[in-house]
């Protein structure tokens, strides 16, 4: 019975998801064309929160756990495990006041309504994982951009999504570049739980009745310790809270 319901709800979900992608692609274009960064951001914030609330249609619940104050008016580096494409919009919606920007693979820079436009025009960075020189250079410029504007950079050091919730090995290169060229930033580890279950059967049908949590840990001043110790602390903090 539950699987039958999941098929029905998944069809309804994708119907509205597809419509929203097209609508917000147009809204982003209008916002960017006539309002530049501010106009575009308004459209993106509404889009990400809409996609977050759309998950409720599947009977899923999104909960943010944050016992610590997020520093304001400083650059932020959000480091998180990665379980599903559906963990991006909730993260963006929750952090909308901090102007979250993402490090994403270059393949997503075209061909995907709304998503590609946002990545190209919203301040995120596209990296070619087959070209280390391009990747490191792009992340360096991205870090300087974050430092200058006091925005939030979101990085998934696993590099790809975990299909079973078990974190993959964390790569240190991206975070190392970010902390080096955004020295005044605070690093915030985030642990995502259960979002992988939304796609446990792949793209279809989607998981239903899932309680997804985003746990924000205490912020760490990027230059408060040697990078090796910082990296170890961030990775350990995130992985120890995965259930």
């Amino acid at each position: 019975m539950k699987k039958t319901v999941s098929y029905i709800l998944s069809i309804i979900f994708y119907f509205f998801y597809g419509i929203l992608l097209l609508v917000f692609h147009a809204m982003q274009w209008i916002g960017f064309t006539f309002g530049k960064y501010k106009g575009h951001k308004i459209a993106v914030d509404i889009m990400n929160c809409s996609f977050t609330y759309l998950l409720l249609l599947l009977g899923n619940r999104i909960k943010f756990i944050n016992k610590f104050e997020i520093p304001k008016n400083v650059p932020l580096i959000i480091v998180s495990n990665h379980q599903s494409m559906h963990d991006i919009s909730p993260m963006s919606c929750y952090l909308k006041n901090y102007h979250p920007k993402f490090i994403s693979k270059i393949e997503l820079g075209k061909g995907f309504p709304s998503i590609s436009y946002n990545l190209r025009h919203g301040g995120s960075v596209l990296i070619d994982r087959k070209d280390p020189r391009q990747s490191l250079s792009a992340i360096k410029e991205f870090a300087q951009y974050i430092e200058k504007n006091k925005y939030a950079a979101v990085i998934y050091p696993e590099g790809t999504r975990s299909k079973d919730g078990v974190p993959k090995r964390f790569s240190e290169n991206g975070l190392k570049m970010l902390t080096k060229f955004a020295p005044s930033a605070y690093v915030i580890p985030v642990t995502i739980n259960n979002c992988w279950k939304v796609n446990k059967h792949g793209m279809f049908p989607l998981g239903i009745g899932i309680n997804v949590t985003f746990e924000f840990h205490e912020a760490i001043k990027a230059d408060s310790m040697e990078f090796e110790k910082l990296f170890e602390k961030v990775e350990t903090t995130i992985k120890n809270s995965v259930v």
Side-chain angles (χ1 to χ4, degrees), residues 11 37 79 134 140-141 148 226:
I11 292 171
Y37 178 84
V79 186
Q134 183 275 342
K140 174 185 175 180
E141 293 181 6
K148 177 182 177 182
E226 295 180 355

Side-chain angles (χ1 to χ4, degrees), residues 144-201:
Q144 293 170 333
Y145 170 73
I146 294 298
E147 173 78 11
K148 177 182 177 182
N149 293 284
K150 296 181 173 58
Y151 291 160
V154 182
I155 181 171
Y156 299 109
E158 293 168 282
T160 187
R161 298 187 293 269
S162 171
K163 296 181 179 180
D164 57 5
V166 178
K168 300 177 182 294
R169 185 185 73 84
F170 279 20
S171 173
E172 67 177 30
N173 292 336
L175 182 57
K176 190 171 187 177
M177 290 294 288
L178 288 175
T179 56
K180 180 178 180 179
F181 293 100
S184 68
Y186 281 77
V187 179
I188 302 180
V190 177
T191 302
I192 300 173
N193 275 304
N194 294 328
C195 202
W196 67 274
K197 294 179 181 179
V198 178
N199 295 111
K200 63 183 177 182
H201 301 301

